Amino acid sequence: MKTAKNIANLLFLSAAMMMAGVSTFAQTPLAVEDFDLAPGTALTSVGWSAHSGGGTNPISVVSPGLTYEGYPSSGIGNAVGLTTSGEDVNKAFPGQSSGSVYAAFLVNLSEAADHAEGGYFFHLGPDPVSTTFRGRIYARKNAENQVSFGLGKGSPVAEVVYTGYTYSLNTTYLMVLKYTVVAGAANDTVQLYINPALDEEPGTATLTATDISQSDIEPATYSLRQGSTASSPTPVVDGIRIGTSWESIMGGGSSGSEPNGPVDLDGDGYTDFVVIRNTDGSPSGPAVWYYNLNPANPSSGGPTQAIAWGLAGIDQFLTGDFDGDGKDDVAIFRQGLEAKFYILNSADFTARVEQFGTEGDYAGVVDDYNGDGVTDLAVYRPGIGPNDQSYWFYRTTPGGAVHYVPWGAGSDFPAPGDFDGDGYADFTVQRPSGGTSVFWTLYNAEGNPATPTNVVTFGSSTDYNVIGDYDGDGKADHAILRSVGGTLQWWVRPSSDPLNAVAYIWGVSATDWPVPGDYDGDGKYDPAIWRNGTFWVLTSSSGYTNFTTFGLGMAGDYPVANFRIF
């Protein structure tokens, strides 16, 4: 079995070719907020900012969370409760200067004011939010306790458009706010969909704002508001998802750097077929990436393409969305006293070179550690001795501060992933312990590594970890790979049903490289192997009863999807 435990692979900066014919569509959400936190947690303690009334009736987590059949964030974690007045909070996402921003969430009103103007409880804004609140969603009720929802682009209350009093208290509704940036000034549009069909964007919105002459913004924050006692509703809000397309908010996955699996060079949600070849056979020969955009997606595919990027036998190669355009970038990590990342940005095909790390570090832990939807530079530094402290180092902005987290020991293997589904990669190690495999997780509580921790015993001490989201619930699952009688057994402990682990026999230990990923684009990881020039994928969309194959490469090549296997 070929894994990152026993190979070092990689390259030098020599960008001779550019990626071509790549789709610009991405189904990655910009932000996901499922409030998978302990009840009573104040939002301002986990990455939100108060922009009004700070500390007064602070918005906090409540239990249980809300559910809505078919919605990707249904039933995950808890929710937040708002009162009729007090603190207002906001959270940033990557700002958008063109196209549309979709903000979906679940809401359940326990009460609303019988007030002609009602009160707004959710809106978008720029970053910093200031007082430019755009896309305001209102609620009110009548004397019969029937609810009406309203929408305004800006502040003129007289221009808010309302539905009829056709909704009810104590009922969960799915809201989708759409803000569209239009060329020119004071002409951006705002629409609201209530309980829409999930599979595709409806042709007609429930409400369309009429006050479009209000000033425009570049959407970059979403906010929760507690207004005045006289007019405001009392909502519970859950499952906030921000994206730039309907599919990005309805297609499942988290906002992390691998919402639909690794090695997705065109951002279409399908893991692509990519191998690397040492082109002259020397110990440090130039390496070429050969790739084919996964033809399982009818909008992708085509001839195999190539790009020279690095030196074989020296560098570690990996992929991640380092430039935030929704597509994985070709990248390498070169060890040394002054180690460096070399990244080819897919957004504009420029090179980014950044010093980070040192000799002995491993870069297979690159992930999204601050929940902004962008892959962060990161390395894992194992302790020198089996019981010595190991460290995680990461940087969330180019050239910015380096964060470090002491977690793990020299005998551990890193197993990064978003195990609680909050969009932040967690610090996890796999530890051999008395013949068993124990996963130790330090939850990354929205950029603040802290307790509680989680300890899961799963597998044996000689198993490899193949962490991924195999059940499609937006959370990483504990998963291991084991050689039994010459075959490969995949064991998965799904986060949606952790008491019922499942097993798949897929692969031959003597010849195969494990390359799990989402090859069928259904939001779930597939067990997959690469064998001497062919990818063999056991597809989750077939209920793991069928497989697909794709030929790419030759014996001696390295499949990039293997870079996370320990």
Side-chain angles (χ1 to χ4, degrees), residues 76-96:
I76 300 175
N78 289 306
V80 291
L82 281 64
T83 65
T84 56
S85 62
E87 176 182 86
D88 303 334
V89 298
N90 72 88
K91 195 169 187 182
F93 59 87
Q96 303 298 305

Side-chain angles (χ1 to χ4, degrees), residues 111-112 114 140-148 165 167-169:
E111 188 55 274
D114 184 358
R140 62 185 182 180
K141 74 171 186 179
N142 61 14
E144 287 73 40
N145 285 328
Q146 295 298 302
V147 173
S148 168
Y165 289 96
Y167 301 94
S168 303
L169 297 174

Side-chain angles (χ1 to χ4, degrees), residues 1 5 430 432 435-437 459-464 481-483:
M1 188 194 319
K5 277 183 178 177
Q430 179 196 21
T436 64
S437 169
S460 68
S461 59
T462 57
D463 294 339
Y464 295 86
L481 186 63
R482 178 180 304 163
S483 176

Side-chain angles (χ1 to χ4, degrees), residues 481-544:
L481 186 63
R482 178 180 304 163
S483 176
V484 179
T487 64
L488 296 181
Q489 288 188 0
W490 302 66
W491 286 85
V492 178
R493 179 182 182 269
S495 56
S496 58
D497 190 11
L499 297 181
N500 291 298
V502 293
Y504 312 98
I505 297 176
W506 195 247
V508 177
S509 58
T511 58
D512 299 348
W513 298 78
V515 288
D518 184 9
Y519 293 88
D520 53 7
D522 65 350
K524 302 177 182 180
Y525 265 47
D526 308 303
I529 57 94
W530 182 83
R531 180 187 303 160
N532 296 330
T534 300
F535 287 82
W536 298 72
V537 182
L538 186 63
T539 54
S540 54
S541 57
S542 71
Y544 304 103

Side-chain angles (χ1 to χ4, degrees), residues 57-337:
N57 293 329
I59 299 178
S60 303
V61 176
V62 298
S63 183
L66 302 179
T67 60
Y68 189 93
E69 185 175 357
Y71 183 56
S73 286
S74 173
I76 300 175
N78 289 306
V80 291
L82 281 64
T83 65
T84 56
S85 62
E87 176 182 86
D88 303 334
V89 298
N90 72 88
K91 195 169 187 182
F93 59 87
Q96 303 298 305
S97 59
S98 62
S100 296
V101 170
Y102 296 78
F105 62 92
L106 302 177
V107 63
N108 188 304
L109 303 179
S110 61
E111 188 55 274
D114 184 358
H115 188 280
E117 297 176 355
Y120 64 96
F121 58 92
F122 184 93
H123 61 80
L124 299 175
D127 184 19
V129 67
S130 182
T131 57
T132 312
F133 308 151
R134 294 295 177 259
R136 307 182 188 202
I137 300 178
Y138 293 73
R140 62 185 182 180
K141 74 171 186 179
N142 61 14
E144 287 73 40
N145 285 328
Q146 295 298 302
V147 173
S148 168
F149 289 107
L151 176 68
K153 177 184 177 182
S155 56
V157 175
E159 295 186 42
V160 175
V161 292
Y162 276 97
T163 67
Y165 289 96
T166 55
Y167 301 94
S168 303
L169 297 174
N170 303 308
T171 302
T172 297
Y173 296 103
L174 171 60
M175 302 273 172
V176 181
L177 176 68
K178 179 182 180 181
Y179 185 101
T180 301
V181 177
V182 180
N187 58 356
D188 290 354
T189 62
V190 181
Q191 297 171 296
L192 178 65
Y193 302 86
I194 302 177
N195 285 1
L198 303 182
D199 54 349
E200 61 182 354
E201 182 174 347
T204 303
T206 307
L207 294 172
T208 299
T210 57
D211 58 334
I212 62 171
S213 62
Q214 294 294 299
S215 61
D216 299 335
I217 61 170
E218 290 189 3
T221 56
Y222 55 98
S223 298
L224 297 172
R225 177 184 184 260
Q226 301 179 124
S228 68
T229 303
S231 61
S232 292
T234 308
V236 169
V237 175
D238 192 10
I240 302 172
R241 301 175 69 85
I242 311 294
T244 56
S245 68
W246 192 266
E247 188 171 5
S248 71
I249 58 171
M250 297 300 179
S254 74
S255 66
S257 61
E258 294 180 11
N260 297 291
V263 196
D264 183 6
L265 300 184
D266 56 352
D268 63 355
Y270 292 75
T271 295
D272 297 316
F273 304 108
V274 185
V275 298
I276 295 180
R277 183 174 305 159
N278 183 341
T279 55
D280 71 3
S282 66
S284 58
V288 175
W289 301 56
Y290 292 93
Y291 63 95
N292 191 286
L293 303 179
N294 187 348
N297 180 357
S299 66
S300 299
T304 297
Q305 302 175 65
I307 184 166
W309 198 255
L311 295 176
I314 293 179
D315 305 328
Q316 299 173 23
F317 41 86
L318 51 143
T319 64
D321 183 12
F322 296 95
D323 58 8
D325 68 346
K327 306 171 188 175
D328 273 9
D329 307 309
V330 168
I332 67 168
F333 173 70
R334 177 165 300 157
Q335 297 187 64
L337 295 180

